[in-house]
Amino acid sequence: MDFDKLIDLIFGMVGGLGIFLLGMKNMSEGMQAVAGSGLRRLISSVTDNRLMATGAGTVVTGVVQSSSITTVMVIGFVNSGLMNLKQGIGVIMGANIGTTVTGWFISLDIGRYGLPILGLFAFIFLFSRQERWRYWEMAIMGVGMVFFGLELMKNACKIIRDLPDFLAWFQQFQADSYFGVLKCALVGCVLTMLVQSSSATLGITMSLAGEGIITFPTAAALVLGENIGTTITAYLASLGTTTNARRAAYFHVIFNIIGVLWITLIFQWYIEGVRAGVEWFAGDPIDFSVTESGVQRFVNVGLGIATTHSVFNILNTLMFLPFVSPMSALLVWLVPDKAYKEKPHLTDLEIRLVETPVIAIEQSRVEILKMATGCNKMLDWLQTLQTSSEPDEQLIDRLIRRERVLDNIQDEVAAFVTMLLSRSVPHSVADEGRRHLQMADEYESISDYILGIWKFSQRLKKQNEWYRTSELEGLQQLHGQVAEYVRQVHLGMEAQNVTLLTKLAPDAKEIKRTIKKLRQEHLAELSTQRMSAAVSVALLGTLNAYARVRDHAENVVELLSEP
């Protein structure tokens, strides 16, 4: 064996594959950053309508150029409860269609333009200053790397013709019988599991078939196996998750295995149908042609492989669409519910989603809104406790536990956002992440002061002391103003109202005036009437706590109003 050629083959394949994978990563990250807001709206619009969910999965995967990212995202959403099983099934089926866009993309025979595209946009990227344009340039630079990597792999594949032992090994794999098809599919499955990218194995398959090393039917059978191999990512992502998340991952495996099994039964007719379709579309059949150097190459093989991949996934999705509900029931039977309520974390934050920062930051926003809801509930419970003649032990316990829960949620949000910001993320995501860290701290502080107000009243009751009627009425008026202010801040956050600071400015000033008035009245009465020191301390402390609640809520409004 010619070892120099063997080394050239290894270097060419490894180098080409590495550049291809890096290009796919850059292209995916660039497109995610550019289309981030659109992806967030699309994911949040997913409903139980199976067609809508499938369409969303197709579009998202087409944009991020990775079915693995989409399926891991779905596992995260189902695990957190933001998406139910039926919605997850629909998005996963759509992801299988969306990933075929990559095949059409790399089937374009423009490999020799990859290096100039890479070089040109690398220069533009280095000297560009506007962030949005830099991400566009990163995406196009990734396109150049993909085609350059493919060209390197194609050139490496040509060397195989000069290595008889390698050529003979490849020719052992022929999809000319049922078991031959299964053997080729198994090879494609194992290769994809090892590389962890169906796009990369698709690129290798196209390179081998384009140089005539393997036949078109063999390439098509390899592609079928690649569909099964890519499910390993979702399966690994589901380990340690909730029951529903594991069901979604198992559906991805079942969906692809059943699809491959039924298509292998009609494989020869299927391939002939693809051949006829490509010949009708392109005008030329998928066949051998002889180059000037006397080397045989496939014509239209890339187009044929892309067609095989797309048609298979579309047919498989159409076949499964009517059976989403029965499949959900089957998965519930296969993976039964556990006897206890599953809640691995207080928050629904999913560490798996840091690969898609624009989606991950939306999750942290949802958690901030939950903290706001928790503070609103604490204010309602506090009012009930303050006006009740008899202590409600159950409500007191809920108030105390909610404050502890908000402390822990803040810790989880801080850990999640810090990990997200440690990665390379768009400036818009980084700015929003920093705002989320501050908002979580503000709401945690609000919960502390709410609990502190209740503790002041508890100390008074233990000492058999209480506020006078005028003081109690003043505090109830103040409580109503503060509770309404906090509620309006929450509603403004939900609507992402950037003009909220101006809108709520009069309310904030009114709260300040009320606090000042109550404090002045109390200090005036101290000099004219006999008053318990415990009541005085509790009243002034309570007024200060309400002032701090207002201040922290106003800080949230200011953060929301930042450009």
Side-chain angles (χ1 to χ4, degrees):
M1 183 179 289
D2 191 329
F3 285 100
D4 288 337
K5 288 186 177 180
L6 179 60
I7 289 174
D8 288 342
L9 170 64
I10 294 171
F11 285 1
M13 289 299 292
V14 172
L17 180 60
I19 292 172
F20 179 93
L21 289 171
L22 186 58
M24 290 295 296
K25 182 176 183 291
N26 284 346
M27 187 166 58
S28 176
E29 289 182 356
M31 290 304 297
Q32 284 179 55
V34 170
S37 57
L39 289 179
R40 286 165 73 166
R41 286 194 299 272
L42 189 60
I43 286 293
S44 62
S45 68
V46 171
T47 65
D48 284 333
N49 186 309
R50 61 196 72 180
L51 291 176
M52 288 285 291
T54 302
T58 302
V59 173
V60 170
T61 307
V63 171
V64 302
Q65 286 292 298
S66 172
S67 61
S68 295
I69 288 177
T70 306
T71 51
V72 169
M73 192 189 305
V74 169
I75 299 301
F77 283 150
V78 174
N79 186 53
S80 65
L82 295 178
M83 190 179 284
N84 62 41
L85 182 59
K86 288 184 181 179
Q87 291 171 334
I89 287 174
V91 176
I92 286 171
M93 290 193 294
N96 273 45
I97 297 175
T99 195
T100 65
V101 172
T102 308
W104 291 96
F105 173 65
I106 64 179
S107 69
L108 301 172
D109 192 17
I110 55 172
R112 66 176 180 270
Y113 301 114
L115 195 56
I117 291 172
L118 168 58
L120 175 63
F121 281 91
F123 276 116
I124 298 174
F125 177 81
L126 288 171
F127 295 104
S128 181
R129 289 292 175 265
Q130 191 175 351
E131 187 187 42
R132 186 172 179 83
W133 284 111
R134 282 175 66 84
Y135 278 108
W136 270 115
E137 289 144 13
M138 178 192 287
I140 300 173
M141 192 165 59
V143 171
M145 295 176 78
V146 165
F147 284 116
F148 181 51
L150 276 173
E151 192 69 7
L152 290 177
M153 287 192 286
K154 283 182 180 179
N155 291 335
C157 288
K158 292 176 182 177
I159 300 173
I160 294 175
R161 292 188 171 279
D162 299 324
L163 298 171
D165 292 342
F166 263 71
L167 189 61
W169 184 81
F170 275 107
Q171 289 174 349
Q172 291 178 19
F173 299 97
Q174 298 290 334
D176 52 5
S177 66
Y178 180 71
F179 289 105
V181 172
L182 291 180
K183 184 165 71 171
C184 292
L186 180 61
V187 170
C189 174
V190 172
L191 186 60
T192 305
M193 285 182 176
L194 294 174
V195 179
Q196 287 282 290
S197 170
S198 60
S199 297
T201 49
L202 186 63
I204 294 171
T205 302
M206 285 188 174
S207 299
L208 291 169
E211 296 303 320
I213 306 300
I214 58 176
T215 64
F216 168 62
T218 299
L222 284 170
V223 169
L224 294 179
E226 289 159 13
N227 277 274
I228 299 176
T230 195
T231 63
I232 188 66
T233 309
Y235 175 75
L236 292 174
S238 72
L239 297 177
T241 59
T242 59
T243 299
N244 245 8
R246 285 187 288 117
R247 287 167 183 162
Y250 294 164
F251 170 77
H252 193 212
V253 177
I254 293 169
F255 175 76
N256 283 284
I257 289 177
I258 291 177
V260 169
L261 288 177
W262 76 259
I263 206 73
T264 54
L265 296 174
I266 59 166
F267 184 76
Q268 302 305 330
W269 295 285
Y270 177 61
I271 289 299
E272 290 307 313
V274 171
R275 283 184 187 274
V278 169
E279 184 174 355
W280 171 81
F281 177 78
D284 293 310
I286 302 172
D287 210 345
F288 280 117
S289 69
V290 180
T291 64
E292 293 178 359
S293 58
V295 177
Q296 286 185 323
R297 294 182 76 255
F298 269 127
V299 177
N300 290 331
V301 68
L303 187 61
I305 292 173
T307 304
T308 301
H309 197 199
S310 292
V311 173
F312 161 68
N313 280 292
I314 291 171
L315 288 176
N316 205 30
T317 298
L318 291 174
M319 187 180 78
F320 270 84
L321 267 177
F323 304 104
V324 169
S325 295
M327 276 303 302
S328 299
L330 175 64
L331 289 163
V332 170
W333 178 75
L334 289 173
V335 188
D337 289 313
K338 293 186 177 178
Y340 54 89
K341 184 179 179 182
E342 296 176 285
K343 190 66 177 175
H345 300 284
L346 287 169
T347 65
D348 291 329
L349 296 169
E350 265 299 327
I351 203 65
R352 298 165 183 82
L353 295 185
V354 294
E355 293 293 335
T356 50
V358 292
I359 304 297
I361 202 67
E362 177 66 15
Q363 269 207 312
S364 71
R365 191 180 82 87
V366 169
E367 294 306 322
I368 304 297
L369 289 172
K370 288 181 182 178
M371 292 187 76
T373 301
C375 288
N376 287 331
K377 287 181 178 179
M378 287 182 72
L379 283 167
D380 291 341
W381 297 338
L382 177 63
Q383 185 178 28
T384 302
L385 290 170
Q386 299 283 60
T387 56
S388 175
S389 57
E390 295 295 327
D392 185 336
E393 295 299 332
Q394 188 176 6
L395 196 57
I396 291 170
D397 184 56
R398 287 169 72 183
L399 185 75
I400 295 171
R401 281 192 293 109
R402 182 56 59 96
E403 191 275 332
R404 290 173 184 166
V405 165
L406 288 176
D407 283 350
N408 291 328
I409 289 177
Q410 188 217 1
D411 291 341
E412 290 187 23
V413 169
F416 179 81
V417 175
T418 302
M419 179 173 292
L420 184 64
L421 296 183
S422 68
R423 306 171 67 85
S424 177
V425 298
H427 286 163
S428 59
V429 172
D431 290 341
E432 192 171 355
R434 283 188 284 271
R435 286 197 293 272
H436 288 180
L437 284 173
Q438 291 177 262
M439 286 179 178
D441 182 62
E442 302 294 348
Y443 274 116
E444 190 277 328
S445 298
I446 288 173
S447 71
D448 288 344
Y449 282 109
I450 294 171
L451 187 62
I453 293 169
W454 172 78
K455 287 180 178 178
F456 280 126
S457 64
Q458 284 299 103
R459 290 195 197 106
L460 282 181
K461 289 179 178 178
K462 285 180 180 178
Q463 297 175 32
N464 294 319
E465 301 275 5
W466 195 235
Y467 302 113
R468 290 176 301 174
T469 303
S470 59
E471 293 166 341
L472 196 58
E473 287 174 353
L475 288 176
Q476 287 174 354
Q477 178 195 355
L478 176 61
H479 181 96
Q481 290 175 340
V482 172
E484 178 60 19
Y485 184 75
V486 173
R487 192 179 71 83
Q488 289 298 326
V489 172
H490 181 200
L491 293 175
M493 277 187 64
E494 282 186 325
Q496 300 189 58
N497 184 355
V498 295
T499 64
L500 196 63
L501 186 61
T502 304
K503 179 185 174 183
L504 293 182
D507 296 338
K509 289 179 181 177
E510 184 61 30
I511 292 171
K512 226 172 186 179
R513 281 194 291 269
T514 302
I515 292 172
K516 185 177 180 180
K517 173 175 164 287
L518 292 173
R519 186 180 286 120
Q520 287 176 341
E521 288 176 353
H522 172 70
L523 293 175
E525 288 176 358
L526 277 177
S527 59
T528 59
Q529 298 181 33
R530 183 180 179 88
M531 186 177 296
S532 165
V535 172
S536 180
V537 169
L539 181 62
L540 292 175
T542 299
L543 291 177
N544 181 63
Y546 276 120
R548 298 300 296 150
V549 169
R550 187 213 76 108
D551 291 343
H552 287 294
E554 190 174 44
N555 290 342
V556 172
V557 179
E558 289 173 354
L559 289 166
L560 186 65
S561 303
E562 284 182 4

